[in-house]
Amino acid sequence: MTSTSYELSRTGVLLVDPYNDFLSEGGKIWPRLKEVAQRVGLLDNLRAVVAAARAAGIQVFVVPHRQWQPGDYDDWNHPNPTQRGIQERHTFARGSWGGDWHPDLAPQDGDVVAKEHWAQSGFANTDLDLMLRQHGITHVIVIGLLANTCIESTGRYAMELGYHVTLVRDATAAFTAEMLHAAHELNGPTYAHAITTTADLLTAIRSAR
C-alpha cells in the first residue's frame, strides 16, 4: 500500500490490550501467542513504536480490554466465544498480575487511557472516539493484540468513523501464522489506509512534522 506521511499533532498511536496475560511469560494467553509473537519481534517492535511516538510528541492512547471481575457475562443474553473464554479463564482479571500492564508498555504521564472495551472494538461502548476528537486526531496507528480480533475490529471501526488507519504487520500477533496473514493480507486492505512495518513506520515518524 502507498506510504503515508504523518502530522505529529493529528496522529495517535492506539496501543491495544498491553496486558501481562497477553505479553509476558506466565500470562494466560502468552503460550498461544509466543511462537508468532517471537517470530515477528512483537515486544521489541511495540516498545520501539511507543518510544518513538512519545519522543516525537505523538499522543499515545492505551486501549484496554475489560478486566474480568466475578459475575462478568454470567447473566448476559449473548456473550461471544471470546467472552466465554474470558469467563472461564478469568483472563485480565482485575487486581491480578495477568490483568496488569506489561511493565515496558504501561501508560506514562501524558498518555490517554480509554475506557475498557467489553468485546473486540476499542470504540464500542467506550470514550475512545471522544478522546481522539478532543485531541484533534485524524490518523490512528493501531498496534497491540490480537491482530485478527481487537486490532482488526478497532481499525475497522476507526475507518467507519472517518479516521485514517495504519496497521503495523510486526507490531501485532495472532495465535497462528494463518490468522496473522488473514488480518493483514486479506482483511486489512479492505479498510486500512496503510499497512506497514515497524521499520518503515519509525522512518515516517522521524520525518513527521
Side-chain angles (χ1 to χ4, degrees):
M1 302 181 75
T2 56
S3 60
T4 298
S5 59
Y6 299 93
E7 185 178 341
L8 297 176
S9 65
R10 297 173 69 81
T11 301
V13 167
L14 307 188
L15 175 59
V16 181
D17 296 349
Y19 288 127
N20 281 322
D21 268 342
F22 261 150
L23 292 166
S24 297
E25 290 285 354
K28 289 185 172 76
I29 306 177
W30 175 246
R32 300 180 66 189
L33 276 169
K34 184 174 182 177
E35 189 278 326
V36 173
Q38 290 183 336
R39 178 171 56 80
V40 302
L42 173 64
L43 275 167
D44 284 343
N45 291 329
L46 289 175
R47 294 183 189 107
V49 172
V50 172
R54 289 175 177 146
I58 291 175
Q59 183 68 57
V60 174
F61 297 82
V62 180
V63 183
H65 201 283
R66 166 74 176 181
Q67 293 181 303
W68 177 86
Q69 298 183 75
D72 280 0
Y73 315 113
D74 289 354
D75 58 356
W76 282 33
N77 286 328
H78 307 292
N80 66 40
T82 298
Q83 290 164 336
R84 286 296 192 198
I86 290 171
Q87 186 181 32
E88 293 168 5
R89 293 186 301 267
H90 305 168
T91 316
F92 318 132
R94 192 174 305 279
S96 73
W97 172 84
D100 201 357
W101 312 114
H102 185 283
D104 296 342
L105 299 167
Q108 295 186 5
D109 289 346
D111 295 349
V112 175
V113 180
K115 301 296 185 185
E116 296 174 353
H117 52 274
W118 283 85
Q120 295 176 355
S121 170
F123 288 94
N125 305 305
T126 77
D127 61 351
L128 180 57
D129 182 46
L130 173 65
M131 293 296 100
L132 291 170
R133 295 188 188 280
Q134 288 297 327
H135 286 81
I137 303 301
T138 58
H139 288 53
V140 294
I141 300 164
V142 191
I143 61 173
L145 295 163
L146 293 163
N148 59 315
T149 57
C150 290
I151 298 301
E152 181 168 334
S153 294
T154 300
R156 192 180 294 276
Y157 207 128
M159 175 275 294
E160 298 283 2
L161 291 171
Y163 294 97
H164 180 286
V165 176
T166 295
L167 302 178
V168 187
R169 285 185 171 89
D170 50 3
T172 185
F175 295 151
T176 68
E178 291 79 8
M179 289 176 177
L180 195 64
H181 174 84
H184 296 140
E185 308 307 326
L186 303 180
N187 297 340
T190 69
Y191 68 88
H193 303 87
I195 303 177
T196 189
T197 64
T198 295
D200 287 345
L201 178 65
L202 295 180
T203 298
I205 288 174
R206 293 186 190 108
S207 65
R209 296 290 183 267

